[in-house]
Amino acid sequence: MATISPVPFLQFVDANGDPLAGGKLYTYVAGTTTPLATYTTYAGTVSNANPVILDSAGRASVWLGAGSYKFVLKDSTDVLVYTTDNIVNAGLGAMQPAVVATAGQTVFTVLPYTMGGSAMVAVNGLTEEYNVAYTETNNTTITFVSPGLSVGDRVTVRSI
């Protein structure tokens, strides 16, 4: 069975922050150029094409199977954007319901989780970096760096 990597849709952007429309995500066995399948759903029964072609918003549904991955991201004309190696399918825990932000909101109350690196926080599907984009105030409160988020931004937390 497959698990998610790390949210239902991965979204990629270019150096200007614009969606990487038509971009290509190649997936390999970590440390190699041997293709490694990702999947279209949780069931892990239908493989994505390799490369995974991103939609007009730079998104794709990418579920990981067993093993460690290397992701190679290219734009629609095959120019390398970046490579990330040793992505481990950690068997992540349950994702909490999304919290929708108001303008400039910095403090979010979420369901309890174990503090100290036991949560993955994402805004609009993009993973945020702990102690850079946000901090943990306690086991139910996440505080984002000022000036905060935009109206409608979706914050999700997943226990890891």
Side-chain angles (χ1 to χ4, degrees):
M1 187 173 306
T3 59
I4 197 161
S5 166
V7 293
F9 287 99
L10 295 178
Q11 183 177 36
F12 299 94
V13 295
D14 64 18
N16 297 317
D18 296 322
L20 197 60
K24 300 172 185 177
L25 178 64
Y26 294 83
T27 59
Y28 302 104
V29 173
T32 74
T33 56
T34 303
L36 182 58
T38 61
Y39 301 92
T40 61
T41 67
Y42 171 79
T45 56
V46 179
S47 296
N48 279 313
N50 197 352
V52 176
I53 306 300
L54 306 179
D55 68 14
S56 62
R59 295 181 306 216
S61 182
V62 179
W63 296 72
L64 300 181
S68 296
Y69 286 78
K70 175 169 76 174
F71 284 0
V72 175
L73 182 65
K74 296 184 178 185
D75 69 13
S76 62
T77 62
D78 287 319
V79 173
L80 180 66
V81 176
Y82 68 83
T83 298
T84 302
D85 209 343
N86 297 307
I87 299 167
V88 178
N89 175 353
L92 300 176
M95 182 182 295
Q96 297 189 13
V99 179
V100 180
T102 58
Q105 184 176 358
T106 57
V107 179
F108 290 82
T109 301
V110 296
L111 297 174
Y113 66 93
T114 303
M115 291 179 62
S118 295
M120 179 182 300
V121 177
V123 176
N124 298 326
L126 301 175
T127 303
E128 300 294 323
E129 188 175 352
Y130 178 64
N131 280 336
V132 174
Y134 73 96
T135 58
E136 298 172 328
T137 306
N138 57 47
N139 73 338
T140 60
T141 308
I142 304 236
T143 303
F144 283 88
V145 175
S146 186
L149 304 177
S150 300
V151 171
D153 281 347
R154 297 174 57 81
V155 177
T156 55
V157 176
R158 176 182 289 277
S159 299
I160 55 174

